[in-house]
Amino acid sequence: MKIALTMENSQAAKNSIVLNELLTVTAQSNDEVFNVGMSDDQDHHLTYIHLGIQASILLASKAVDFVFTGCGTGQGAMMSCNAHHNVVCGLAIEPSDAFLFTQINNGNALALAFAKGFGWAAELNIRNIFEKVLLSGCECGQGYPIERALPQQQNAAILNQVKLAVAKDNYIDALKSMDPELVKTAVMGERFQACLFNNAENQEIVDYVRSILN
């Protein structure tokens, strides 16, 4: 899989810690990682609102398959991601959250808390969360426990249908309806652009992002 990691201003100083743990896990899973958010306090300024836009664009364009994100509590990043109809984002505080989310909800993004509870051995907790998503050996969306598998799979599919119905507009129309300056801030980072432009399969989204930047 292609995986994006994106972090915002309040926790940017921890990016190197989080990225290192993700790379440690993906070295075993053979997934490709794109660090598209803030890499330190001096990087291009992003809020959790921009993280949702980034996740939405990268997933809609098929530049990546999964997004790891987060903020101080993880809540803001999760809500921002779920504001977009093509993103199904969960919140993982500890490893079982990550496993149950991927098995029951079969989402494409996961938000972590990078301040709340981020204390002794926090990097080990984060690594274990990444492992539950990427190295569990289980196909996502299979349900847990097994006797609940069928209704959980059905409900996950229904939720995606509801998100599409509520959205009404197609993706590019929804993207164009946002404040252009908000979108521009979300896509200005060089690493984000490299991930999108080099991997996206939807040219219409790429063209619109280029137009915003120009």
Side-chain angles (χ1 to χ4, degrees), residues 7 10 23 26 32 36 45 59 66-69 82 91 95 104 107-108 126 129 137 152 156 161 176 180 182 193 208:
M7 296 173 63
S10 75
L23 291 174
T26 55
E32 189 173 5
V36 302
H45 188 272
L59 290 167
F66 197 92
V67 176
F68 285 110
T69 185
N82 284 326
L91 174 67
I104 297 172
N108 52 15
I126 288 175
I129 287 174
Q152 289 171 353
Q161 294 170 5
K176 290 179 178 178
L182 191 65
Q193 292 175 32
Y208 180 66

Side-chain angles (χ1 to χ4, degrees), residues 117-166:
F118 199 95
W120 189 68
E123 74 282 3
L124 300 181
N125 186 59
I126 288 175
R127 184 190 306 174
N128 290 336
I129 287 174
F130 292 149
E131 288 174 345
K132 289 300 182 184
V133 176
L134 303 174
L135 295 176
S136 69
C138 300
E139 183 181 352
C140 293
Q142 295 304 296
Y144 183 88
I146 192 64
E147 61 269 19
R148 290 283 301 154
L150 182 58
Q152 289 171 353
Q153 291 166 8
Q154 292 171 335
N155 288 335
I158 292 169
L159 177 59
N160 288 336
Q161 294 170 5
V162 169
K163 285 170 74 72
L164 284 171
V166 171

Side-chain angles (χ1 to χ4, degrees), residues 69-81:
T69 185
C71 54
T73 64
Q75 301 280 10
M78 178 185 68
M79 291 188 295
S80 177
C81 284

Side-chain angles (χ1 to χ4, degrees), residues 19-200:
L19 178 61
N20 180 67
E21 297 305 325
L22 181 56
L23 291 174
T24 297
V25 175
T26 55
Q28 303 172 65
S29 66
N30 295 317
D31 295 313
E32 189 173 5
V33 174
F34 300 90
N35 187 29
V36 302
M38 293 183 67
S39 60
D40 57 43
D41 289 331
Q42 306 306 312
D43 205 350
H44 171 67
H45 188 272
L46 298 171
T47 69
Y48 69 83
I49 299 169
H50 299 117
L51 303 186
I53 296 173
Q54 287 189 335
S56 177
I57 290 174
L58 293 177
L59 290 167
S61 67
K62 298 184 179 180
V64 302
D65 305 296
F66 197 92
V67 176
F68 285 110
T69 185
C71 54
T73 64
Q75 301 280 10
M78 178 185 68
M79 291 188 295
S80 177
C81 284
N82 284 326
H84 302 269
H85 77 266
N86 65 313
V87 186
V88 178
C89 184
L91 174 67
I93 302 299
E94 47 90 16
S96 66
D97 295 333
F99 176 79
L100 293 172
F101 170 71
T102 56
Q103 291 305 304
I104 297 172
N105 307 110
N106 197 24
N108 52 15
L110 193 62
L112 283 69
F114 296 130
K116 183 178 182 294
F118 199 95
W120 189 68
E123 74 282 3
L124 300 181
N125 186 59
I126 288 175
R127 184 190 306 174
N128 290 336
I129 287 174
F130 292 149
E131 288 174 345
K132 289 300 182 184
V133 176
L134 303 174
L135 295 176
S136 69
C138 300
E139 183 181 352
C140 293
Q142 295 304 296
Y144 183 88
I146 192 64
E147 61 269 19
R148 290 283 301 154
L150 182 58
Q152 289 171 353
Q153 291 166 8
Q154 292 171 335
N155 288 335
I158 292 169
L159 177 59
N160 288 336
Q161 294 170 5
V162 169
K163 285 170 74 72
L164 284 171
V166 171
K168 292 186 173 64
D169 299 324
N170 65 41
Y171 181 75
I172 195 67
D173 288 340
L175 189 61
K176 290 179 178 178
S177 70
M178 297 181 207
D179 178 354
E181 287 302 315
L182 191 65
V183 177
K184 184 176 182 179
T185 299
V187 302
M188 281 179 64
E190 291 183 2
R191 283 175 281 106
F192 175 87
Q193 292 175 32
C195 177
L196 177 67
F197 297 153
N198 293 335
N199 297 283

